[in-house]
Amino acid sequence: MITADYLIIPSDLKPFANQGLSSVKSFLKDIDEFRDQLGREALDIIGVLPSKISTNSKFLEKTFPKQKAAITEHYQMPVMSTIIHERVALSHCVNQTLTVGDLEIPDPKSIFSYVQTDKTAGPSVSEFENLAAEVLERVGVS
C-alpha cells in the first residue's frame, strides 16, 4: 500500500465485515502518515466493492440497499456501483487445482479464460468488465 495510488476494498457488506472497516480506516490512516513522510499523497480509496453478493431478488431489494447505506453513513466510505455477485462459475474458476506428483496445488483461472470452458460464466465476465470500466472512470482514464 506504500507504492499504490488507489485502493479498492472488497467486502460482502455483511455486518461482521462492516465492523472491520473501522480497522481498515485506522490502518489506512497509519499508511497515509507513512506515505506523507515519504512525500507521497494519501491513498485514493476508489471504494468498497460489493463482492460475493447474493443474487436473490428479495435480498437485493430489501437487505442489500441497507448494507450499502451503512458503508457510506457509518464508515464514510464510497461504495462502488459495480457489484460482483456470488456465482458458481466464479467459485469454480478460483477453485481449480493442478496435480504435481502427489501434491495438489491451487491453480486458479481468470473468469475471462474460464468462460471458454463454462458458458455460465458470462454474467461474471460482464461484472468484471463493468468493474474495469468503473475503475478507469474513477481514476480519470477514458
Side-chain angles (χ1 to χ4, degrees):
M1 288 194 209
I2 300 301
T3 60
D5 294 321
Y6 303 96
L7 179 65
I8 296 172
I9 304 166
S11 175
D12 63 11
L13 306 187
K14 293 178 181 166
F16 186 70
N18 287 353
Q19 290 176 355
L21 289 175
S22 294
S23 297
V24 169
K25 284 183 80 169
S26 175
F27 179 68
L28 290 175
K29 183 179 175 193
D30 293 342
I31 292 293
D32 284 340
E33 286 175 7
F34 186 70
R35 289 172 61 94
D36 184 55
Q37 292 173 4
L38 297 174
R40 297 201 46 126
E41 292 182 21
L43 267 173
D44 186 351
I45 300 173
I46 293 177
V48 175
L49 173 65
S51 305
K52 297 172 70 176
I53 304 300
S54 171
T55 57
N56 178 286
S57 60
K58 294 254 190 239
F59 169 80
L60 292 171
E61 179 185 327
K62 305 280 185 191
T63 306
F64 183 63
K66 293 175 188 172
Q67 290 178 330
K68 280 177 52 175
I71 303 299
T72 55
E73 292 170 10
H74 298 295
Y75 302 99
Q76 293 76 46
M77 297 181 104
V79 177
M80 299 182 74
S81 52
T82 300
I83 302 168
I84 305 299
H85 290 94
E86 186 170 33
R87 300 187 192 277
V88 171
L90 276 176
S91 177
H92 285 184
C93 73
V94 298
N95 289 319
Q96 297 295 305
T97 59
L98 180 66
T99 302
V100 179
D102 293 338
L103 296 174
E104 193 170 346
I105 58 173
D107 188 31
K109 304 293 182 210
S110 163
I111 192 66
F112 294 100
S113 62
Y114 194 73
V115 74
Q116 297 169 0
T117 58
D118 183 348
K119 298 304 177 199
T120 66
S124 292
V125 166
S126 293
E127 291 169 358
F128 279 94
E129 287 172 339
N130 292 341
L131 173 61
E134 182 176 359
V135 167
L136 291 173
E137 180 182 313
R138 290 194 181 210
V139 301
V141 177
S142 23

